[in-house]
């Protein structure tokens, strides 16, 4: 079965691929995913960024299919633009995202078109491994469409509101995993069938995320009572955060905080903590 390409989508929408330039935005001066984040949260800032280029790359009347590389390394379509005019950036002009001086650069008046609007932030293409040019002609480069699905990643809810089944941890949004990988702390497991609770702490590599992945992958984390109940079949736990600590907090301090929570919640007496 032939693979759907982005050129096919253009043709289906009545747009001639020969008139379209494919533009893939990725800037090593910015952290991975920053451009996509800007597009999601401050569209005008992203559009000002993409409208300024050092080289004269486009002509009036050109159509630009814009793509952004996300933190997950996906090349996502974000809009079809028409070049309505070209100017020169005046002295003292600063790039809105990088903060660099762009005086004398080419400024393009880009108008967002309605065509392909239904595919915005949904189409992911394969730009091609080792393909270095970030501007290409659509007619000469029939990029395969890898997926058509909402790419929006919901914001991390915060540690106070975070509650998830342990089995969902491996499939959490990438940004959420990065947050949980970055912090140590004390957490609560609740057996969703029995209601029994277990207080634990994350001090090692990958912090909270690493610890929870052990449980999601069928491990017991070395915990005596968790291992005992697992002999009767896999248990299903809900996980939440009780307290996060600074990354430089010593392990023994984290263990003291863990002990406080065990005392408060009586998890040694009525729960799953053996000590």
């Amino acid at each position: 079965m032939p693979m759907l390409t982005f050129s096919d989508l253009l043709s289906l929408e009545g747009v001639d691929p020969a008139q379209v330039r494919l533009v893939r935005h990725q800037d090593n001066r910015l952290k991975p995913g920053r451009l996509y984040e800007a597009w999601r949260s401050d569209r005008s800032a992203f559009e000002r960024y993409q409208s300024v280029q050092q080289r004269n790359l486009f002509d009036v009347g050109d159509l630009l299919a814009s793509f952004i590389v996300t933190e997950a390394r996906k090349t996502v379509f974000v809009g079809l633009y028409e070049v309505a005019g070209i100017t020169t950036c005046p002295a003292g002009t600063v790039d809105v995202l990088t903060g660099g001086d762009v005086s004398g650069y080419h400024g393009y008046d880009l108008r967002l078109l309605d065509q392909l609007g239904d595919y915005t932030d949904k189409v992911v293409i394969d730009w091609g491994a080792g393909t270095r040019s970030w501007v290409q002609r659509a007619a000469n480069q029939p990029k395969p469409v890898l997926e058509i699905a909402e790419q929006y990643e919901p914001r991390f809810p915060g540690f106070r509101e975070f509650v998830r089944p342990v089995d969902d941890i491996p499939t959490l949004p990438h940004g959420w995993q990065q947050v949980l990988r970055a912090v140590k702390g004390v957490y609560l497991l609740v057996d969703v069938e029995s209601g029994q609770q277990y207080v634990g702490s994350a001090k090692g590599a990958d912090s909270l995320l690493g610890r929870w992945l052990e449980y999601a992958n069928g491990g017991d984390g070395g915990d005596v009572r968790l291992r005992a109940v697992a002999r009767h079949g896999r248990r299903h736990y809900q996980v939440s955060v009780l307290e996060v600590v600074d990354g430089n907090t010593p392990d023994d301090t984290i263990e003291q905080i863990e002990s406080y929570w065990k005392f408060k919640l009586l998890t040694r007496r009525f729960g799953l903590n053996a000590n």
Side-chain angles (χ1 to χ4, degrees), residues 240-259:
S240 59
V241 180
L242 294 175
E243 189 169 341
V244 296
V245 299
D246 182 85
N248 297 320
T249 303
D251 287 356
D252 57 352
T253 300
I254 298 175
E255 290 168 2
Q256 287 177 359
I257 297 172
E258 177 186 5
S259 184

Side-chain angles (χ1 to χ4, degrees), residues 6 10 15-25 39 46-47 49-53 55-68 76-86 106-117 120 127 134-138:
F6 189 75
L10 289 170
V15 179
D16 183 0
Q19 294 182 314
V20 177
R21 301 284 192 94
L22 306 176
V23 181
R24 183 176 185 254
H25 294 290
W39 181 81
F46 166 75
E47 291 185 337
Y49 165 87
Q50 79 159 350
S51 69
V52 175
Q53 301 296 333
R55 294 165 51 206
N56 187 13
L57 298 169
F58 312 118
D59 297 320
V60 173
D62 280 351
L63 301 182
L64 311 182
S66 291
F67 295 84
I68 305 178
V76 180
F77 173 67
V78 296
L80 184 68
Y81 294 83
E82 180 180 13
V83 179
I86 305 174
H106 299 278
Y108 296 94
D109 180 8
L110 301 180
R111 308 288 176 87
L112 181 63
L113 303 179
D114 292 334
Q115 287 100 322
L116 277 81
T120 300
W127 189 258
W134 65 281
V135 178
Q136 300 179 16
R137 295 188 179 277

